[in-house]
Amino acid sequence: MRVCVFGAGYIGLVTAACFADLGHTVAVRDINPGTVAALRAGRTPLYEPGLAELLAGNTERLSFTLDAGEALRHADVAYVCVDTPPTAAGDADLSRVFAVVDSLRGASHLKAVVVKSTVPVGTGAQVRTALDAAGLRHVAYAANPEFTAEGSAVANFLHPDRVVVGTGDEVAATCVSELHKGVDAPVVVMDVASAEMVKLTANALLATKISFVNEIANVCGLVGADVVEVARAVGMDHRLGPHFLEAGIGWGGSCFPKDSLALKQMAGNSGYTPQLLSAVIEVNDLQRRRAVQRLKTALGGLAGARVAVLGVTFKPGTDDMREAPSTVVAARLLAEGAEVRYWDPVAVPADAHPWSSCTRMATPAAAADGADAAIVVTQWPQLLDVDWAAVRPAMRRPVLLDGRNLLDPGTMVRLGFSYMAVGRAAYEQL
Ligand code: UGA
């Protein structure tokens, strides 16, 4: 099939590259000249494992343009993959989605318009109305929410648990199914509103599992239990599952914070007060502050202390800093009067508060050199290869808060660290 993908961000580019790899011809349209120029020059403007290889391996089926008309010229299907960031009110900002819909005017040869962007329930109905008003009544509409996680997006796209299609139109359902031919997963067809809700519900439930295990971790630390052991055994119950039960300093990224807030606001706008979801968000907000508080207690105050922040992306395997817990940790440390040195193997944080007041170091050891404390914020595997025996004597004070329960506590204690973990009573507070 011939597809036009709007948006060359994480979702759009992965979608385009995977469709091309499945044998379809894909024209990608983005409004950012730098992004389009980079892609045309064969450069991948973002870090996502496997994406560059997929783009490079399918150049004959991929094109990139700033011009919507050009991208749409031969397309059977238009895929909307633009971002929907929170507005000042915490709702999803749909202006980019509707800008794309506007640009479809005249593309009467299209068979279907598919929205992959994460949107509030009811957006599909609004897009349908806009398409009708633009003279595209005959063009089918579908929601096809994405369930790809950054760092494993290509694998998630090509080997998903399911493909969800929300539509009232058989043509759209057939188009989306055809596009996914070669993907070994059930295609689940439902109405548009339910498909939109599946996406928000899945992310909210994943975020809930993490906040829940973090709350359990905080209790474990107080009552003499170890959350790692607790989660391991609880996760063996097939009704509960082992995933998303890793306690730490909480979730971040471009999806959970935005989508949980959007669902909360959407529920509120519809007249329901979502108490559980509100608590899930609050537990997460507090979890990262709690980490700084623990460092403050351990050091007897943070003013004048030097703290090494190890890992700053919102999770390993990505360069994405959006809503990264590290940003709150760094800002809180600075506010308490600490000096912050940080290390990350990939991310280059924007030159803005708090990172503009922090010092980037080339290695974890360099960041920890002369520090009063170090905190593991992102569980990059490189941290497992650090020569911690050499790091320990180089620190002014060997306080180490493992915010992701990444390191082996026994080893760290043996090496002489004042080691703290999350939800492991033996390593709760110094
Ligand atoms: C998430 C979902 O996992 C995807 O299914 C979804 O498609 C995507 O959002 C989206 O809406 O686009 P992503 O945000 O890329 O994907 O990352 P996750 O791997 O889900 O991690 C989210 C956050 O939760 C990270 O900060 C991670 O460190 C944290 N996390 C995850 C935990 O603290 N504990 C866990 O056990 C798992």
Side-chain angles (χ1 to χ4, degrees), residues 10-387:
Y10 282 97
I11 302 305
L13 264 192
V14 169
T15 301
C18 290
F19 280 158
D21 201 52
L22 290 168
H24 307 291
T25 303
V26 188
V28 183
R29 189 269 183 146
D30 199 279
I31 54 170
N32 185 327
T35 301
V36 171
L39 287 163
R40 280 182 164 169
R43 291 194 307 275
T44 309
L46 46 87
Y47 176 76
E48 183 61 43
L51 179 60
E53 292 80 350
L54 218 54
L55 290 170
N58 290 285
T59 44
E60 74 281 9
R61 281 188 294 279
L62 280 163
S63 59
F64 306 96
T65 178
L66 289 164
D67 183 346
E70 184 188 325
L72 282 164
R73 192 162 302 140
H74 304 293
D76 303 306
V77 183
Y79 252 77
V80 184
C81 300
V82 293
D83 52 339
T84 52
T87 64
D91 304 294
D93 178 357
L94 296 175
S95 57
R96 294 178 176 104
V97 171
F98 282 99
V100 171
V101 173
D102 265 356
S103 69
L104 300 179
R105 198 175 284 274
S108 50
H109 57 284
L110 281 174
K111 287 189 188 140
V113 173
V114 184
V115 168
K116 198 171 237 334
S117 306
T118 300
V119 293
V121 180
T123 304
Q126 289 175 36
V127 173
R128 179 71 270 168
T129 306
L131 290 173
D132 293 353
L136 301 173
R137 195 174 290 276
H138 60 287
V139 178
Y141 176 81
N144 174 216
E146 57 87 18
F147 303 101
T148 55
E150 283 178 31
S152 55
V154 170
N156 293 159
F157 192 101
L158 293 172
H159 310 284
D161 292 325
R162 74 300 203 195
V163 175
V164 173
V165 189
T167 188
D169 194 316
E170 221 168 278
V171 173
T174 309
C175 281
V176 177
S177 298
E178 282 289 312
L179 280 167
H180 289 83
K181 222 175 212 160
V183 168
D184 182 25
V187 177
V188 188
V189 182
M190 61 188 72
D191 64 277
V192 175
S194 299
E196 292 168 340
M197 193 65 179
V198 169
K199 165 70 192 201
L200 294 173
T201 305
N203 272 3
L205 188 50
L206 292 168
T208 301
K209 282 188 88 171
I210 303 168
S211 280
F212 183 79
V213 82
N214 280 337
E215 194 150 76
I216 294 297
N218 297 342
V219 178
C220 283
L222 293 172
V223 300
D226 185 328
V227 74
V228 175
E229 296 300 327
V230 172
R232 186 158 64 96
V234 166
M236 290 167 88
D237 185 326
H238 74 277
R239 296 168 303 174
L240 302 170
H243 307 292
F244 283 73
L245 287 180
E246 278 170 35
I249 61 174
W251 38 271
S254 61
C255 305
F256 287 177
K258 167 176 82 76
D259 293 352
S260 54
L261 190 60
L263 179 54
K264 178 182 162 175
Q265 306 303 7
M266 190 184 81
N269 297 342
S270 314
Y272 179 73
T273 307
Q275 299 180 61
L276 188 53
L277 190 56
S278 300
V280 165
I281 295 168
E282 193 177 341
V283 166
N284 194 56
D285 285 344
L286 292 175
Q287 196 69 359
R288 43 193 76 173
R289 288 169 185 277
R290 195 170 171 272
V292 176
Q293 188 59 32
R294 290 178 71 192
L295 286 177
K296 188 176 175 182
T297 307
L299 295 177
L302 285 163
R306 182 186 290 177
V307 179
V309 172
L310 304 179
V312 301
T313 53
F314 84 94
K315 68 173 188 180
T318 176
D319 62 350
D320 200 338
M321 291 283 305
R322 283 179 288 179
E323 301 289 333
S326 65
T327 302
V328 175
V329 168
R332 283 287 308 122
L333 287 168
L334 291 176
E336 292 285 344
E339 177 200 347
V340 177
R341 296 188 168 188
Y342 68 94
W343 163 85
D344 192 277
V346 189
V348 182
D351 191 22
H353 181 75
W355 300 109
S356 51
S357 305
C358 305
T359 311
R360 185 186 172 89
M361 306 302 286
T363 63
D369 193 38
D372 296 284
I375 173 170
V376 175
V377 176
T378 314
Q379 64 277 41
W380 282 104
Q382 289 87 329
L383 290 171
L384 293 169
D385 299 331
V386 167
D387 182 359

